[in-house]
């Protein structure tokens, strides 16, 4: 069933961070960011009233949606009858997606609620073995941060962790006036495509810990910010420890983790 503008409209809920996209051309442009390579399923997070969903359903792929808002779920069930069996009324951050995908690969897409967007990225990184592609809309500043390179003021934990496993590309900016209600800031759409070889030559858990600890005190040199690792004086004499975290690219963070692994 096609979108019926006369049908009951879902009210955006502030506590869920909802801003409903109401520009068809932007919705289609976001749907078209998917390459459809390496997977047969796509999961849309937070579909709301289905403006993006509609364009996903036209593609040669099986679309699932996950939505926590009961009112939106009811609207989607009534408006998109073919989609109804694949509407998951759960919290993406807490739900075990393998109950749906059984270890099969799937892409993620969405106009993500600002208040949980970074948590969505972290869960994606945890499930990187199953998620070859990820695209969607964030607050512009967050999208830029994920895609930024070393030396940038916004380069940080998300940048390094995402780019360790994925090639990140900032695609386009979306103005506030195409949403209801309009957010106070611009939005940005990005795409992450998993690297062909995304296994790190170091311990992943330690890599995460090193990156997070380093950026918690981003103005300090690594010699000071990584004190909790109780590193040997010999290791701390290495020139890399005289740098601040934003000066290191992803490869240097991997090398730093390898040095720490050998020191422990």
């Amino acid at each position: 069933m096609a979108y019926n503008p006369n049908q009951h409209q879902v009210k955006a809920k502030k506590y869920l961070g909802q801003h409903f996209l109401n520009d068809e051309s932007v919705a289609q442009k976001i749907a078209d960011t998917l390459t459809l390579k390496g997977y047969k399923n796509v999961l849309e997070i937070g579909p709301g009233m289905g403006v993006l969903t509609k364009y996903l359903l036209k593609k040669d792929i099986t679309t699932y949606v996950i939505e926590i808002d009961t009112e939106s779920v009811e609207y989607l069930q009534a408006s998109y009858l073919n989609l109804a069996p694949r509407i998951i009324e759960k919290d993406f951050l807490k739900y075990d997606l393998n109950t749906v995908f059984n270890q099969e690969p799937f892409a993620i897409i969405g106009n993500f609620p600002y208040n949980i967007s970074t948590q969505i990225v972290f869960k994606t990184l945890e499930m990187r073995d199953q998620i070859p592609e990820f695209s969607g809309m964030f607050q512009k500043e967050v999208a830029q941060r994920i895609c930024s390179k070393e030396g940038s003021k916004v380069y940080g934990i998300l940048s390094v962790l995402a780019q360790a496993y994925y090639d990140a590309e900032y695609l386009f900016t979306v103005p506030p006036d195409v949403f209801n209600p309009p957010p106070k800031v611009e939005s940005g759409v990005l795409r992450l495509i998993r690297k062909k070889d995304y296994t790190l030559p170091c311990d992943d858990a330690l890599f995460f810990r090193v990156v997070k600890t380093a950026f918690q005190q981003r103005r300090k040199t690594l010699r000071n910010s990584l004190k909790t690792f109780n590193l040997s004086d010999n290791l701390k004499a290495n020139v890399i420890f005289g740098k601040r975290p934003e000066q290191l690219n992803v490869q240097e963070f991997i090398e730093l983790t390898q040095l720490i692994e050998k020191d422990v």
Side-chain angles (χ1 to χ4, degrees), residues 198-216:
Y198 62 95
T199 52
L200 302 188
C202 62
D203 180 76
D204 292 272
L206 182 60
F207 176 73
F208 271 63
R209 205 175 127 222
V210 168
V211 173
K212 287 180 177 180
T213 308
F215 278 105
Q216 277 165 2

Side-chain angles (χ1 to χ4, degrees), residues 177-200:
D177 60 6
V178 299
F179 296 93
N180 180 32
K184 293 176 181 173
V185 293
E186 288 185 315
S187 300
V189 175
L190 61 76
R191 178 173 57 214
L192 303 177
I193 296 179
R194 193 177 60 198
K195 294 179 176 180
K196 283 182 181 173
D197 181 7
Y198 62 95
T199 52
L200 302 188

